[in-house]
Amino acid sequence: MAEFLVTGGAGFIGSNLVDALLAAGHRVRVLDNLSMGKRSNLPLDNPRLHFIEGDVADAEVVAQAVAGCAGVAHLAAVASVQASVDDPVSTHQSNFIGTLNVCEAMRQHGVRRVVYASSAAIYGNNGEGVAIDEATAKAPLTPYASDKLAGEHYLDFYRRQHGLEPAVFRFFNIFGPRQDPSSPYSGVISIFTQRAQQGLPISVFGDGEQTRDFFYVGDLVALLMQGLLSEQVVSDPLNVGWSQAVSLNQLLAEIGVLCGGLPPLTHLPARAGDIRHSRADNTRLQAHYRMPQQTPLREGLRQLLGL
Ligand code: NAD
Ligand code: UD2
């Protein structure tokens, strides 16, 4: 069994990946600065887990964390798009310099495989209303999206120049246990389920007929594991979505069924710049990865609600 580094491993997606790697018998190092992640997301008493509290913007810390690993899942980032708009300079340290530090540390230490968390945000508003494929023109509209796209380009440079093996995934809307609901810009499912459980009013921006392609974190982890462990990986970036459109109104109906009713709904104006319909074309992903059996929305919500 090998040892893997998960940057951002104390966060939502990272900690779910850590659980899967440990369950498969591997050893895991986590590098996280706990800006969003929590110690309580990690099984710290597991002797196969080594937690390093540190910053991916610190090249020396990253080099130490990378040395001797079989591969890296690079998930550390300030995941809030709004935070990148409010503070582009500081988020760039985490979201871009952190990625460059990971590339450089891997080159130094001869580690090849890296799984990279890119985002549908790199497409901006392009492809709205159709299934978005990877050839869709890129339109990074925010510092967050620009850093993610730049990270993709740097990983490709290190692949060509230094033999890195990047597996690049462009996540659409991921949901599931441990997603933090505390900001207004948190994932809509984390906000709606928390408020439904607490009986607090729910704000719907617009008419609720906007659609998203929701992907359960456990299904994502199955793909990330393949990205880390497969003999070979395709270097082209791959969209991660089910190519299924679910409206917020459908989502609310599902949550209502599971919670035995919904709190009052308040309709507010649509968010400025909100994308009306976002759906992945996942043909390329299907061609290169063993797709997990889809966790249906209702089952994912059940897990999230602890039912
Ligand atoms: P998250 O905030 O729960 O996880 C990110 C983790 O990175 C946190 O634990 C945080 O403490 C850590 N971190 C942030 N800056 C750091 C730094 N400078 N040094 C070390 N650790 C740092 O968010 P998440 O949803 O689990 O996101 C994981 C990755 O997936 C991120 O790269 C994010 O941009 C990407 N992503 C997520 C989604 C989604 O739908 N959740 C969509 C697209 C892309
Ligand atoms: C997602 C990503 C974002 C970026 C973007 C790129 C998350 C959390 N956000 O934004 O980082 O990658 O995709 O396209 O993954 N809404 C409400 N009420 C609420 C909260 C949200 O109605 O309390 C609406 C919101 O206006 C939007 C939909 O729900 O229409 C989904 O919102 P979101 O923030 O979960 O995700 P999204 O797709 O806007």
Side-chain angles (χ1 to χ4, degrees):
M1 290 292 154
E3 181 158 18
F4 294 95
L5 170 65
V6 182
T7 73
F12 160 48
I13 296 170
S15 64
N16 280 286
L17 175 61
V18 169
D19 285 347
L21 285 167
L22 290 172
H26 298 290
R27 281 174 290 134
V28 182
R29 298 175 194 174
V30 166
L31 174 62
D32 199 298
N33 68 356
L34 300 180
S35 54
M36 284 302 293
K38 300 189 192 86
R39 283 174 196 276
S40 59
N41 283 342
L42 292 169
L44 290 170
D45 52 356
N46 188 318
R48 284 184 286 114
L49 174 66
H50 175 42
F51 175 64
I52 306 160
E53 184 175 347
D55 202 306
V56 288
D58 183 333
E60 219 165 284
V61 169
V62 175
Q64 279 171 19
V66 163
C69 280
V72 179
H74 177 45
L75 306 180
V78 176
S80 160
V81 173
Q82 190 58 37
S84 82
V85 171
D86 295 342
D87 193 351
V89 175
S90 136
T91 51
H92 182 72
Q93 293 300 313
S94 299
N95 293 8
F96 177 72
I97 299 297
T99 302
L100 186 52
N101 284 339
V102 167
C103 290
E104 195 50 26
M106 292 180 69
R107 181 189 69 76
Q108 272 171 29
H109 293 286
V111 181
R112 285 172 179 274
R113 183 63 55 83
V114 55
V115 167
Y116 178 62
S118 189
S119 167
I122 64 158
Y123 300 114
N125 294 324
N126 289 340
E128 191 170 356
V130 297
I132 297 168
D133 68 19
E134 291 85 353
T136 301
K138 313 301 171 285
L141 300 176
T142 58
Y144 173 84
S146 302
D147 281 337
K148 287 289 180 191
L149 187 56
E152 288 191 9
H153 289 312
Y154 272 79
L155 282 161
D156 196 53
F157 162 74
Y158 275 84
R159 177 184 70 79
R160 286 179 280 108
Q161 193 71 19
H162 301 297
L164 249 63
E165 296 173 352
V168 176
F169 295 102
R170 294 176 180 156
F171 304 163
F172 279 62
N173 292 68
I174 312 299
F175 76 102
R178 303 189 192 141
Q179 189 167 27
D180 180 52
S182 62
S183 138
Y185 296 97
S186 297
V188 66
I189 291 187
S190 69
I191 297 175
F192 281 7
T193 49
Q194 190 201 44
R195 297 189 75 85
Q197 278 187 315
Q198 296 178 350
L200 296 169
I202 286 177
S203 300
V204 178
F205 302 124
D207 61 6
E209 285 304 303
Q210 65 265 54
T211 60
R212 293 293 184 270
D213 190 353
F214 294 111
F215 204 95
Y216 184 64
V217 67
D219 300 343
L220 173 65
V221 163
L223 296 169
L224 301 181
M225 292 282 281
Q226 288 177 58
L228 266 183
L229 300 168
S230 307
E231 277 288 302
Q232 287 182 338
V233 281
V234 61
S235 60
D236 296 332
L238 303 171
N239 286 340
V240 178
W242 287 114
S243 208
Q244 290 171 3
V246 175
S247 73
L248 293 196
N249 291 330
Q250 289 170 323
L251 169 66
L252 285 164
E254 289 288 340
I255 295 172
V257 168
L258 293 172
C259 293
L262 283 174
L265 303 182
T266 314
H267 280 271
L268 298 173
R271 271 182 183 163
D274 202 26
I275 293 174
R276 183 81 176 153
H277 299 292
S278 170
R279 181 164 70 91
D281 179 325
N282 64 6
T283 312
R284 214 191 259 182
L285 181 70
Q286 289 198 49
H288 294 287
Y289 279 77
R290 215 169 42 254
M291 293 299 283
Q293 195 179 1
Q294 181 178 5
T295 302
L297 180 64
R298 185 171 294 184
E299 179 51 31
L301 291 171
R302 227 185 259 284
Q303 298 284 337
L304 178 53
L305 290 161
L307 299 173

